[in-house]
């Protein structure tokens, strides 16, 4: 004898519940990418995480969100947009900057 609730078998209700959980759960995956601007050997270079305004102006006002200077920097970015520039004066204007859009 199969147990039913409102005419639907218990197994069907469990299966529907599991399907619902799978549908509403967001699939989270991570990946590691090597980006040239974060790997450097010159001790004068630094990477600065900055605001959009600082990025657009290529200038951190000596107040970046975070500074990376190891030459082998690993940066964990959260979902959304993150901005980075080279801290060496004028290098950002020559293209040493990057925007990361994490989805």
């Amino acid at each position: 004898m199969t147990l039913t609730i409102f005419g639907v078998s218990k197994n069907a209700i469990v299966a529907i519940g599991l399907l619902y959980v799978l549908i509403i759960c967001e699939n989270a995956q991570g990946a590691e990418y090597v980006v040239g601007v974060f790997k450097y050997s010159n001790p004068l270079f630094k990477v600065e995480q900055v605001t959009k305004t600082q990025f657009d102006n290529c200038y951190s006002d000596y107040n970046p969100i975070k500074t990376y200077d190891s030459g082998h920097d690993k940066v964990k970015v959260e979902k959304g947009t993150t901005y980075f520039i080279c801290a060496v004066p004028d290098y950002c204007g020559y293209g040493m900057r990057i925007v990361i859009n994490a989805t």
Side-chain angles (χ1 to χ4, degrees):
M1 180 171 165
T2 304
L3 178 63
T4 62
I5 300 173
F6 299 113
V8 180
S9 75
K10 182 179 176 184
N11 290 340
I13 291 173
V14 170
I16 291 169
L18 288 174
L19 182 61
Y20 177 75
V21 169
L22 290 173
I23 290 171
I24 64 169
C25 288
E26 184 174 329
N27 186 11
Q29 296 178 346
E32 184 174 315
Y33 298 96
V34 176
V35 181
V37 73
F38 298 104
K39 192 169 179 119
Y40 47 92
S41 59
N42 188 329
L44 299 176
F45 290 121
K46 291 181 184 172
V47 174
E48 294 179 335
Q49 181 179 345
V50 295
T51 65
K52 181 178 183 340
T53 301
Q54 292 169 323
F55 179 86
D56 290 342
N57 293 319
C58 278
Y59 184 63
S60 69
D61 301 325
Y62 303 105
N63 189 25
I65 295 169
K66 190 161 185 180
T67 300
Y68 302 91
D69 60 4
S70 73
H72 301 287
D73 305 320
K74 290 189 176 188
V75 178
K76 181 179 179 182
V77 293
E78 300 297 327
K79 192 174 191 178
T81 305
T82 310
Y83 302 90
F84 298 93
I85 64 172
C86 179
V88 175
D90 297 328
Y91 275 48
C92 175
Y94 295 129
M96 295 291 289
R97 61 185 179 163
I98 187 169
V99 177
I100 299 175
N101 293 308
T103 56

